[in-house]
Amino acid sequence: MITVERKKKFDWVLLIFVGILIIIGSIAITSSTIMLYSKERIIKTHFLAIFLGFLGMLLMWVLDYDILDEYSYKIYIFALITLVLVLIFGVVDKGSRSWFRLPFFSIQPSEFARISLIVVLSSYLSKNRDALENLGGIIKALFISLPFFVLMMKQPDFSGVMITIFPIAVMFIVAGVNLSYIYAFGTYILIMLLVPFIGVIVNLYPNSLNNQFIEFLYDISYFNFNSLIFIIILAVLMFILWKIFHKLNPLIHFSYMVMIFLIVVSGYLSGIFVKNQIKDYQYKRIESFIHPDKDPKGSGYNIIQARVALGSGGFKGKGIFHGSQSRLGFVPERHTDFIVSVIGEEMGFIGVIVIFASYIVFINRIRKIALISRNNFGYFLCCGFAGLFMGYFFVNLGMILGFFPVAGIPLAMVSYGGSNMVASLVIIGIVESIYARRMAIG
């Protein structure tokens, strides 16, 4: 049997591809900010974050990752406290109160709170492996996650909420959640999103209010007397439907209708809560996603220019430090949200493919480490982290390609963002700790 001491302590393949992503990102960040007055601050902050991130990575690699399991709930409570404090003492940036402004740099606590959420859910699932096969276990897991999402909504940081859904979904699936609950949760999400979406449709097409159905939906998208009437009518309707179905099939229990009613009403009320948190600029982002050409010099400008830059690079690109769209400032947020556009313009299709391939290999290595982890806690940690990086990858690229609205989500380890870089490298350190202490094979 091969002992831990004789096994390799590092997964060098994982580190190599992490290095490739950081190097390409650093080149693109330097190029895209070279014409900015704040370029020195941005570049210094970026490399400071890489340095601090590698220190955090080494620290987490040295520590036995099981210590996170032991202190998981304390870590999570501390993270929630930081999310509360940022609502009180944080500064507003781009419409969200998400940052602590310190003398030399800023910290976004949600980046680290997201890690703590994955840690605490991994601890719960590893100790209750069959928990998600019953409704009670699912409710407890969701109850653990709820404070994080509520505090993120209060900032408001919808991009942070959206990206966190990915690791939770992956962890639930690998834990063997009952598919019927997945369908129920999906229905809840759709209803929740429908409420604010109606507001977007009305803003884009005011004449749609001439349609009585749209007017009715828009009216009940605000919590008022009509909302209560709607809930009461829905309850009566569900009761009548149950009476009809029960006569056709006596095996249909009343609890099924109660469950459907609760899903619809909770999704509806959650949608109203979400709608009340959305700011005007966030509505503009959704509108530009649906119809970017409606306001090409306003809300649709970012995505149009990002696509122009991405497509102008051709196969080989215009050359590093020669991207006209990015260097001259036609692409806003070019060093953060739209870093792939800079890479596409300057390094061409080849550069974009290298990013794609590196991410695929990188996430696949985390998946393989999950399979050889020595315990369930390590397994769920890797699954959650893989889901998180999948979220960054799909949503960031989806913004540029038009599959998602512009959401302010960076491409981890490639985009500029100090807190995101440090948090990402800390995650790599945890994964390397799992690899170094993997189960003995031989």
Side-chain angles (χ1 to χ4, degrees):
M1 184 70 70
I2 299 176
T3 63
V4 172
E5 287 71 26
R6 292 174 57 191
K7 291 186 297 185
K8 290 185 293 185
K9 297 291 187 178
F10 269 112
D11 184 335
W12 290 104
V13 175
L14 178 66
L15 289 179
I16 288 171
F17 282 93
V18 166
I20 291 172
L21 291 170
I22 292 175
I23 290 170
I24 293 177
S26 298
I27 293 171
I29 290 168
T30 303
S31 175
S32 62
T33 58
I34 202 165
M35 304 295 288
L36 298 177
Y37 290 113
S38 57
K39 62 182 179 181
E40 291 186 4
R41 178 187 62 80
I42 291 174
I43 293 173
K44 286 180 180 178
T45 301
H46 176 67
F47 284 102
L48 174 62
I50 293 175
F51 173 73
L52 294 176
F54 271 105
L55 289 181
M57 183 186 75
L58 291 174
L59 174 63
M60 298 312 301
W61 169 68
V62 170
L63 291 175
D64 188 330
Y65 67 93
D66 278 333
I67 197 172
L68 298 175
D69 188 15
E70 183 179 353
Y71 293 99
S72 59
Y73 283 91
K74 293 180 180 179
I75 293 171
Y76 185 51
I77 291 172
F78 175 78
L80 293 179
I81 291 172
T82 64
L83 292 180
V84 172
L85 292 176
V86 80
L87 294 174
I88 302 171
F89 302 108
V91 297
V92 177
D93 185 24
K94 300 177 184 176
S96 297
R97 190 177 296 276
S98 308
W99 300 83
F100 288 121
R101 185 66 52 80
L102 301 178
F104 300 103
F105 53 86
S106 299
I107 296 177
Q108 189 174 12
S110 62
E111 295 286 355
F112 304 97
R114 192 172 292 112
I115 298 176
S116 72
L117 176 58
I118 294 173
V119 168
V120 75
L121 282 177
S122 297
S123 178
Y124 171 70
L125 293 175
S126 64
K127 294 180 175 67
N128 305 273
R129 191 60 195 265
D130 299 326
L132 300 188
E133 294 181 4
N134 60 79
L135 184 59
I138 294 175
I139 291 175
K140 184 173 181 180
L142 293 176
F143 184 76
I144 292 172
S145 309
L146 184 62
F148 173 87
F149 286 109
V150 171
L151 292 172
M152 292 293 289
M153 292 292 291
K154 294 300 293 182
Q155 293 184 9
D157 184 1
F158 294 100
S159 60
V161 170
M162 179 165 57
I163 206 69
T164 310
I165 292 174
F166 282 84
I168 292 178
V170 170
M171 295 170 74
F172 273 39
I173 291 171
V174 299
V177 65
N178 190 313
L179 287 180
S180 61
Y181 298 129
I182 290 289
Y183 300 145
F185 183 70
T187 303
Y188 163 80
I189 294 294
L190 288 175
I191 295 172
M192 181 182 69
L193 295 177
L194 177 63
V195 177
F197 185 74
I198 290 297
V200 174
I201 294 298
V202 170
N203 287 338
L204 275 175
Y205 309 104
N207 291 334
S208 63
L209 284 175
N210 295 330
N211 183 297
Q212 291 184 345
F213 181 67
I214 296 294
E215 183 182 13
F216 168 74
L217 291 178
Y218 185 71
D219 185 49
I220 64 171
S221 66
Y222 298 89
F223 191 76
N224 49 34
F225 181 73
N226 289 334
S227 301
L228 297 176
I229 296 297
F230 168 71
I231 294 173
I232 293 171
I233 292 174
L234 180 64
V236 173
L237 179 63
M238 295 300 295
F239 181 77
I240 294 172
L241 286 174
W242 173 74
K243 282 289 187 181
I244 295 172
F245 290 142
H246 186 67
K247 286 185 177 181
L248 295 174
N249 185 354
L251 295 178
I252 296 178
H253 198 271
F254 183 64
S255 61
Y256 295 153
M257 288 301 177
V258 172
M259 183 63 66
I260 294 173
F261 173 76
L262 291 176
I263 291 171
V264 173
V265 172
S266 60
Y268 167 62
L269 295 177
S270 298
I272 294 177
F273 173 74
V274 170
K275 184 178 184 295
N276 290 336
Q277 304 303 315
I278 297 178
K279 306 298 183 184
D280 288 340
Y281 77 93
Q282 291 166 327
Y283 269 119
K284 291 292 185 182
R285 286 180 175 180
I286 302 173
E287 291 173 7
S288 66
F289 164 66
I290 298 172
H291 197 343
D293 295 327
K294 185 178 178 65
D295 187 12
K297 294 184 179 180
S299 59
Y301 180 80
N302 288 15
I303 188 64
I304 292 173
Q305 294 300 323
R307 291 176 184 174
V308 169
L310 181 64
S312 66
F315 186 75
K316 295 182 179 179
K318 297 178 179 178
I320 296 173
F321 302 113
H322 291 87
S324 56
Q325 288 290 118
S326 56
R327 286 167 62 84
L328 297 178
F330 290 104
V331 182
E333 307 297 337
R334 52 195 177 275
H335 56 297
T336 54
D337 301 355
F338 298 108
I339 193 69
V340 174
S341 296
V342 178
I343 295 170
E345 183 181 25
E346 298 191 352
M347 305 179 196
F349 180 73
I350 296 175
V352 174
I353 286 297
V354 170
I355 292 292
F356 277 33
S358 297
Y359 246 94
I360 291 171
V361 174
F362 157 67
I363 292 173
N364 188 53
R365 293 304 299 181
I366 298 179
R367 180 190 68 84
K368 290 185 176 181
I369 292 172
L371 296 176
I372 60 174
S373 60
R374 74 183 181 195
N375 54 27
N376 288 334
F377 178 64
Y379 172 77
F380 284 115
L381 277 179
C382 286
C383 291
F385 293 147
L388 179 61
F389 287 117
M390 285 170 57
Y392 284 125
F393 180 70
F394 286 121
V395 176
N396 184 271
L397 296 177
M399 290 190 307
I400 299 173
L401 298 177
F403 298 124
F404 293 101
V406 176
I409 292 177
L411 183 59
M413 293 177 293
V414 180
S415 298
Y416 170 77
S419 296
N420 182 265
M421 177 65 75
V422 174
S424 297
L425 289 174
V426 165
I427 289 173
I428 299 304
I430 297 172
V431 173
E432 288 288 1
S433 176
I434 295 170
Y435 177 80
R437 296 161 179 85
R438 62 197 182 277
M439 60 182 180
I441 56 175

